Amino acid sequence: MKLFIVLAALIAASLATDCMHCICNKESGCKPVGCAMDVGSLSCGYFQIKQPYYDDCGQPGKKSGDTTETAWKRCADDYNCSSSCVTAYWNRKFCTEQLVGDAANSRVGVACCIARVLCQPFRYKSKCPNKGQCEQMSRLHNGGPNGCNNSNTQGYWNSIKSCCGCT
């Protein structure tokens, strides 16, 4: 039984690696290509990461004193850093605002009445029910937090799937 669990974990890790490599190939030929304009803003590096995506993935590799822009561009052109950003983005938790107590019934401006922000155990990937790990990662990477529900990401996913044979 232990051998089966170890083999299953190795297969899952291999599929994730294959998927990540296919995304990298699709975005840059898996090369540190610097930055270029893409749909009105800069996309950088191996995975063509935009700055808001870098912010959402937790700004890996950012050092004390770095501007976000400097850290983002450096991370994007470092394979290990940028692949960790893609994985962190896929695993990112999202939060919801909740009005509580009398604040929920108040007619006073909403900004004064938000009592707390709840971070639920929902991750971007949870917005992709009934989709395999690689499809989740691919479509979220290409289309943002709602990428799995955006038909414009289907072609991107098809090209990744044909590369790795993943689901």
Side-chain angles (χ1 to χ4, degrees), residues 20 22 38 53 57 64-65 67 74 77-78 85 90-91 93 98 101 111 115-116 119 127 133 138-139 146 150 154 160:
M20 186 77 73
C22 289
D38 175 44
Y53 185 109
C57 81
S64 178
T67 65
R74 182 179 58 241
D77 270 342
D78 176 284
C85 181
W90 177 60
N91 281 310
K93 290 182 181 178
Q98 180 183 44
R116 64 182 170 191
C119 285
K127 294 182 174 190
Q133 181 178 1
S138 299
R139 294 182 74 176
N146 294 308
N150 183 340
Q154 187 63 50
I160 300 302

Side-chain angles (χ1 to χ4, degrees), residues 52-53 56-57 88-95 121-129 136 140 144-149:
Y53 185 109
D56 279 356
C57 81
Y89 185 86
W90 177 60
N91 281 310
R92 184 177 188 272
K93 290 182 181 178
F94 60 93
C95 301
F122 302 114
R123 302 188 188 286
Y124 283 170
K125 65 184 176 184
S126 71
K127 294 182 174 190
C128 304
Q136 291 173 1
L140 291 170
N146 294 308
C148 288
N149 301 311

Side-chain angles (χ1 to χ4, degrees):
M1 182 64 167
K2 287 182 183 179
L3 179 60
F4 175 75
I5 292 170
V6 169
L7 286 173
L10 289 172
I11 290 168
S14 175
L15 289 175
T17 301
D18 289 347
C19 183
M20 186 77 73
H21 185 71
C22 289
I23 293 170
C24 188
N25 274 332
K26 171 88 174 148
E27 295 293 349
S28 68
C30 216
K31 295 182 172 88
V33 295
C35 299
M37 287 302 288
D38 175 44
V39 193
S41 61
L42 286 178
S43 292
C44 300
Y46 285 92
F47 294 93
Q48 292 297 282
I49 294 171
K50 294 181 179 288
Q51 188 169 341
Y53 185 109
Y54 177 72
D55 293 339
D56 279 356
C57 81
Q59 300 180 344
K62 187 174 182 185
K63 299 173 185 167
S64 178
D66 277 352
T67 65
T68 300
E69 182 176 1
T70 297
W72 155 54
K73 290 177 179 179
R74 182 179 58 241
C75 180
D77 270 342
D78 176 284
Y79 183 81
N80 290 328
C81 186
S82 59
S83 62
S84 75
C85 181
V86 172
T87 301
Y89 185 86
W90 177 60
N91 281 310
R92 184 177 188 272
K93 290 182 181 178
F94 60 93
C95 301
T96 58
E97 294 177 346
Q98 180 183 44
L99 298 177
V100 295
D102 291 336
N105 298 318
S106 174
R107 292 195 175 263
V108 181
V110 172
C112 77
C113 300
I114 294 173
R116 64 182 170 191
V117 175
L118 299 175
C119 285
Q120 303 291 342
F122 302 114
R123 302 188 188 286
Y124 283 170
K125 65 184 176 184
S126 71
K127 294 182 174 190
C128 304
N130 306 315
K131 295 186 178 14
Q133 181 178 1
C134 186
E135 182 174 2
Q136 291 173 1
M137 186 177 287
S138 299
R139 294 182 74 176
L140 291 170
H141 178 73
N142 181 244
N146 294 308
C148 288
N149 301 311
N150 183 340
S151 61
N152 292 331
T153 63
Q154 187 63 50
Y156 184 89
W157 161 237
N158 289 339
S159 68
I160 300 302
K161 183 170 52 173
S162 70
C163 168
C164 67
C166 307
T167 59

